[in-house]
Amino acid sequence: MLLASAALVALGVLAAPAEAGRQARQDPGAAAGGLGLQLLDIPVARVEDPRARAYIVDHVTPGMTIKRRVEVSNTSPKTQRVELYSGAANIEQNTFTVTDGRGGNELSRWTRLATKLIDLAPGAKQAVEVTIAVPDAASRGERYGAVWAQITSPPGKGGNVLQIHRVGVRVYLDVGPGGEPPTDFRVEGLAVERGTGQWPVLTARVTNTGERALDMTGSMSLANDTETVRAGPFGVTTGVTILPGQQGQVSAPIGQSMPDGVWHAELKLRSGMIERVATGQFSLPLAADSTALEPVSGGGPLLIIVAVLVAVLLAALAWYLVRRRRRARAEYDEDLYV
């Protein structure tokens, strides 16, 4: 096996939102039931990638081995026995979905932790090395998984329910020869609709035009028609993960009441180090039909390019007409003096 030689940078950030108990949503997280887990280091080449600061994100060739460190912490008032293991994950209906238990796919079988069981005193922390060894015969493609820390609480007095709390760090590992596949996406279909609450929601359709999964984040800002009133930025609802070649919808709730009139919207979306901006406008109040969507008009760089081309063509036409008039005038004067 070849060990990846990329230098690592120490981190001091938490992972994703928490997951606790059997009934909790299946999303790797940072803290649950007094248990915490965070990524400690990333490759230098990914230091500007927000996803890589929370998740293990990498591209490797077959036969390569990578190492990362995670930190387990006990924020509860008693000593905790923590189990550490790797598990499978996949992306279903634009959601990163993890499975119960250990193993489950190729990536989880390739992943090993330096220790499987640790006892942590109250307030204690411990770094644990994670090793992912990719076989020489591994096929091309992106795999998904999670590194888990778990504590199990016995039933209370008179109870019979076993409480399980676990937190994890997502893993996105792409395998294939050569350099890393491109990450890219397209934003279209901006619309504004009545939300489930009291304020409207801006939505957009995102198409993954790259070769790696996307985790969408971003914000939306508003300005009135005269640019005298601004609102936002309003955060984009997180949790949308889109596979290559697929589409997903993101939404940005307008988190305050807005005066009636024409509003210009700027939506900034990002996945990793790739950012795209979409613009448009809509009018308030919305249509009376609560299910109707009011499309937002297009905008952005394309309109600027078109405007510049039109200006250049008009300037060229004006120059041509002036030259033609001067030539005609010169020929007329020449005829007079012949």
Side-chain angles (χ1 to χ4, degrees):
M1 294 287 183
L2 297 175
L3 182 64
S5 59
L8 300 179
V9 177
L11 286 176
V13 298
L14 290 177
E19 188 248 1
R22 286 281 188 197
Q23 280 69 46
R25 58 189 173 84
Q26 292 291 296
D27 188 14
L35 180 66
L37 186 69
Q38 70 178 44
L39 187 63
L40 285 181
D41 43 35
I42 62 172
V44 172
R46 297 181 184 273
V47 71
E48 299 298 328
D49 184 348
R51 284 207 315 166
R53 300 180 71 85
Y55 312 139
I56 298 175
V57 182
D58 215 332
H59 165 76
V60 296
T61 57
M64 184 174 281
T65 297
I66 64 172
K67 295 180 181 291
R68 299 287 189 273
R69 291 179 306 144
V70 294
E71 182 182 78
V72 190
S73 59
N74 178 13
T75 59
S76 74
K78 61 180 182 179
T79 297
Q80 298 284 5
R81 172 153 289 190
V82 184
E83 299 175 75
L84 298 162
Y85 59 92
S86 62
N90 50 49
I91 298 172
E92 298 176 351
Q93 298 180 345
N94 300 136
T95 302
F96 189 94
T97 305
V98 297
T99 61
D100 284 327
R102 296 158 172 76
N105 66 3
E106 285 183 310
L107 179 55
S108 63
R109 292 192 291 271
W110 300 343
T111 305
R112 296 288 182 271
L113 286 91
T115 182
K116 296 181 179 179
L117 191 66
I118 56 176
D119 291 317
L120 283 181
K125 301 177 180 179
Q126 182 170 328
V128 177
E129 188 173 69
V130 179
T131 301
I132 303 177
V134 181
D136 293 327
S139 60
R140 182 176 181 176
E142 190 172 33
R143 275 84 166 175
Y144 312 107
V147 174
W148 292 104
Q150 175 178 304
I151 55 176
T152 303
S153 303
K157 270 190 175 181
N160 58 2
V161 178
L162 192 69
Q163 294 290 324
I164 296 177
H165 303 274
R166 68 173 184 171
V167 291
V169 172
R170 297 184 188 186
V171 182
Y172 296 78
L173 187 71
D174 182 76
V175 179
E180 181 167 352
T183 297
D184 205 353
F185 61 92
R186 182 175 66 250
V187 184
E188 54 197 354
L190 267 67
V192 63
E193 62 180 74
R194 294 179 180 275
T196 55
Q198 58 180 317
W199 296 309
V201 175
L202 189 80
T203 63
R205 186 171 64 254
V206 177
T207 302
N208 186 341
T209 59
E211 298 178 26
R212 298 208 64 175
L214 304 172
D215 282 311
M216 304 311 304
T217 60
S219 63
M220 181 261 296
S221 299
L222 299 175
N224 69 348
D225 204 27
T226 59
E227 298 284 336
T228 57
V229 180
R230 295 181 178 273
F234 304 105
V236 170
T237 301
T238 58
V240 178
T241 303
I242 308 173
L243 285 169
Q246 295 189 8
Q247 291 186 337
Q249 180 174 287
V250 297
S251 59
I254 300 173
Q256 66 184 62
S257 59
M258 306 291 293
D260 293 347
V262 177
W263 289 92
H264 298 274
E266 181 182 72
L267 180 66
K268 293 182 179 180
L269 294 179
R270 183 170 185 170
S271 179
M273 293 182 284
I274 304 300
E275 183 178 277
R276 296 287 177 260
V277 179
T279 60
Q281 66 181 28
F282 63 94
S283 297
L284 292 176
L286 298 180
D289 186 352
S290 61
T291 62
L293 302 181
E294 184 176 340
V296 178
S297 62
L302 180 59
L303 289 183
I304 297 174
I305 294 171
V306 171
V308 170
L309 289 176
V310 170
V312 170
L313 289 174
L314 289 176
L317 179 60
W319 176 81
Y320 171 75
L321 292 175
V322 170
R323 286 289 303 271
R324 183 176 178 181
R325 187 177 303 166
R326 287 178 178 174
R327 187 180 300 115
R329 179 68 181 179
E331 291 175 354
Y332 175 74
D333 291 342
E334 184 178 347
D335 291 340
L336 288 178
Y337 293 99
V338 171

